[in-house]
């Protein structure tokens, strides 16, 4: 079992809508970063990534992203890029952008 610096989640883009999505513990997808399944070691991270990559009919561009765990036990973005992706496309002024 390998060690990693941060817990990790799997993120991708919805194949049909393009939205940023996150793999859940049930193997489904959510648009909420805080609902993503969290891997605490590299073996679990690779397993989650394999689950995502086995769904090419639903997603594109799956990868592992570092996360921090908040006081409620939910993953939060560590890096700017991931925090930015939670807000949706930067050229729209509706949807997620209007809520921020």
């Amino acid at each position: 079992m390998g060690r990693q610096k941060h817990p990790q989640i799997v993120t991708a883009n919805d194949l049909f809508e393009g939205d940023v999505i996150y793999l859940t513990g049930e193997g489904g997808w959510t648009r909420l970063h805080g609902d993503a399944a969290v891997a605490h070691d590299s073996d679990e991270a690779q397993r989650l990534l394999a689950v995502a990559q086995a769904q090419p009919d639903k997603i594109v561009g799956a990868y592992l992203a570092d996360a921090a765990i908040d006081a409620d036990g939910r993953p939060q973005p560590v890096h700017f890029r991931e925090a930015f992706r939670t807000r949706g496309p930067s050229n729209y002024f509706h949807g997620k952008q209007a809520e921020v």
Side-chain angles (χ1 to χ4, degrees):
M1 197 179 301
R3 222 170 113 64
Q4 56 191 42
K5 186 175 180 180
H6 292 283
Q8 293 183 310
I9 64 168
V10 175
T11 183
N13 289 89
D14 184 284
L15 182 62
F16 298 104
E17 296 178 12
D19 287 354
V20 174
I21 53 179
Y22 307 95
L23 186 69
T24 66
E26 295 78 34
W29 296 92
T30 181
R31 286 172 171 74
L32 302 174
H33 190 282
D35 290 344
V38 178
H40 294 279
D41 64 61
S42 60
D43 291 339
E44 179 67 4
Q46 291 304 311
R47 188 192 69 74
L48 290 175
L49 186 58
V51 168
Q53 291 173 334
Q55 300 182 45
D57 58 328
K58 297 178 183 175
I59 61 103
V60 65
Y63 65 92
L64 294 167
D66 289 344
I69 305 302
D70 69 14
D72 295 326
R74 298 166 54 99
Q76 298 300 318
V78 172
H79 300 290
F80 169 78
R81 179 178 194 265
E82 298 310 318
F84 190 79
R85 289 181 80 232
T86 65
R87 296 184 198 105
S90 60
N91 60 335
Y92 296 159
F93 298 102
H94 61 282
K96 293 180 188 178
Q97 296 78 8
E99 298 168 9
V100 176

